Short mmCIF file of all heavy atoms in Angstrom, two decimals:
data_model
loop_
_atom_site.label_atom_id
_atom_site.label_comp_id
_atom_site.label_asym_id
_atom_site.label_seq_id
_atom_site.Cartn_x
_atom_site.Cartn_y
_atom_site.Cartn_z
N GLU A 29 145.71 -63.97 143.33
CA GLU A 29 147.16 -63.90 143.51
C GLU A 29 147.47 -64.00 144.99
O GLU A 29 146.92 -63.24 145.79
CB GLU A 29 147.65 -62.57 142.93
CG GLU A 29 149.14 -62.37 143.02
CD GLU A 29 149.56 -61.05 142.38
OE1 GLU A 29 149.47 -60.94 141.13
OE2 GLU A 29 149.93 -60.13 143.14
N LYS A 30 148.33 -64.93 145.35
CA LYS A 30 148.69 -65.14 146.75
C LYS A 30 150.22 -65.09 146.89
O LYS A 30 150.94 -65.26 145.92
CB LYS A 30 148.16 -66.48 147.23
CG LYS A 30 146.65 -66.60 147.05
CD LYS A 30 146.04 -67.55 148.02
CE LYS A 30 144.56 -67.74 147.92
NZ LYS A 30 143.73 -66.76 147.35
N SER A 31 150.69 -64.87 148.10
CA SER A 31 152.14 -64.85 148.33
C SER A 31 152.72 -66.24 148.10
O SER A 31 152.03 -67.26 148.18
CB SER A 31 152.45 -64.36 149.74
OG SER A 31 151.86 -65.21 150.70
N SER A 32 154.00 -66.27 147.79
CA SER A 32 154.70 -67.53 147.48
C SER A 32 154.47 -68.56 148.58
O SER A 32 154.59 -68.27 149.77
CB SER A 32 156.20 -67.26 147.33
OG SER A 32 156.87 -68.46 147.02
N GLY A 33 154.09 -69.75 148.17
CA GLY A 33 153.87 -70.86 149.10
C GLY A 33 152.47 -70.94 149.67
O GLY A 33 152.14 -71.90 150.37
N THR A 34 151.63 -69.96 149.39
CA THR A 34 150.25 -69.96 149.90
C THR A 34 149.35 -70.74 148.96
O THR A 34 149.32 -70.48 147.76
CB THR A 34 149.72 -68.52 150.06
OG1 THR A 34 150.60 -67.79 150.91
CG2 THR A 34 148.32 -68.51 150.63
N ALA A 152 150.68 -74.65 145.13
CA ALA A 152 151.72 -73.64 145.32
C ALA A 152 153.06 -74.15 144.80
O ALA A 152 153.40 -75.33 144.98
CB ALA A 152 151.85 -73.27 146.78
N VAL A 153 153.81 -73.28 144.15
CA VAL A 153 155.14 -73.62 143.63
C VAL A 153 156.22 -73.24 144.64
O VAL A 153 157.28 -73.86 144.70
CB VAL A 153 155.39 -72.91 142.27
CG1 VAL A 153 156.80 -73.16 141.77
CG2 VAL A 153 154.37 -73.37 141.25
N SER A 154 155.96 -72.21 145.45
CA SER A 154 156.91 -71.75 146.48
C SER A 154 158.25 -71.33 145.89
O SER A 154 159.31 -71.69 146.39
CB SER A 154 157.11 -72.83 147.56
OG SER A 154 155.88 -73.18 148.14
N SER A 155 158.19 -70.53 144.82
CA SER A 155 159.40 -70.10 144.10
C SER A 155 159.96 -68.77 144.60
O SER A 155 161.02 -68.35 144.15
CB SER A 155 159.07 -69.95 142.61
OG SER A 155 158.15 -68.88 142.44
N GLY A 156 159.21 -68.11 145.47
CA GLY A 156 159.59 -66.77 145.87
C GLY A 156 158.78 -65.72 145.12
O GLY A 156 158.70 -64.57 145.54
N SER A 157 158.18 -66.09 144.00
CA SER A 157 157.27 -65.22 143.25
C SER A 157 155.84 -65.50 143.70
O SER A 157 155.57 -66.54 144.30
CB SER A 157 157.37 -65.50 141.75
OG SER A 157 158.66 -65.20 141.27
N VAL A 158 154.92 -64.60 143.37
CA VAL A 158 153.52 -64.81 143.76
C VAL A 158 152.96 -66.06 143.09
O VAL A 158 153.43 -66.49 142.04
CB VAL A 158 152.64 -63.59 143.40
CG1 VAL A 158 153.07 -62.36 144.19
CG2 VAL A 158 152.63 -63.32 141.91
N GLU A 159 151.96 -66.64 143.73
CA GLU A 159 151.21 -67.77 143.18
C GLU A 159 149.97 -67.19 142.49
O GLU A 159 149.30 -66.32 143.06
CB GLU A 159 150.76 -68.73 144.28
CG GLU A 159 151.85 -69.15 145.26
CD GLU A 159 152.89 -70.10 144.69
OE1 GLU A 159 152.74 -70.55 143.54
OE2 GLU A 159 153.86 -70.38 145.40
N VAL A 160 149.66 -67.62 141.28
CA VAL A 160 148.47 -67.16 140.54
C VAL A 160 147.62 -68.38 140.21
O VAL A 160 148.08 -69.29 139.52
CB VAL A 160 148.85 -66.39 139.26
CG1 VAL A 160 147.58 -65.95 138.52
CG2 VAL A 160 149.72 -65.19 139.59
N TYR A 161 146.38 -68.39 140.70
CA TYR A 161 145.51 -69.55 140.55
C TYR A 161 144.32 -69.34 139.62
O TYR A 161 143.73 -70.31 139.14
CB TYR A 161 145.00 -69.99 141.91
CG TYR A 161 146.12 -70.41 142.85
CD1 TYR A 161 146.41 -69.67 143.98
CD2 TYR A 161 146.89 -71.53 142.57
CE1 TYR A 161 147.44 -70.06 144.83
CE2 TYR A 161 147.92 -71.91 143.42
CZ TYR A 161 148.19 -71.18 144.54
OH TYR A 161 149.21 -71.56 145.38
#
Side-chain angles (χ1 to χ4, degrees):
E29 181 178 290
K30 303 206 180 336
S31 60
S32 181
T34 303
V153 175
S154 303
S155 66
S157 297
V158 296
E159 311 289 354
V160 179
Y161 298 113

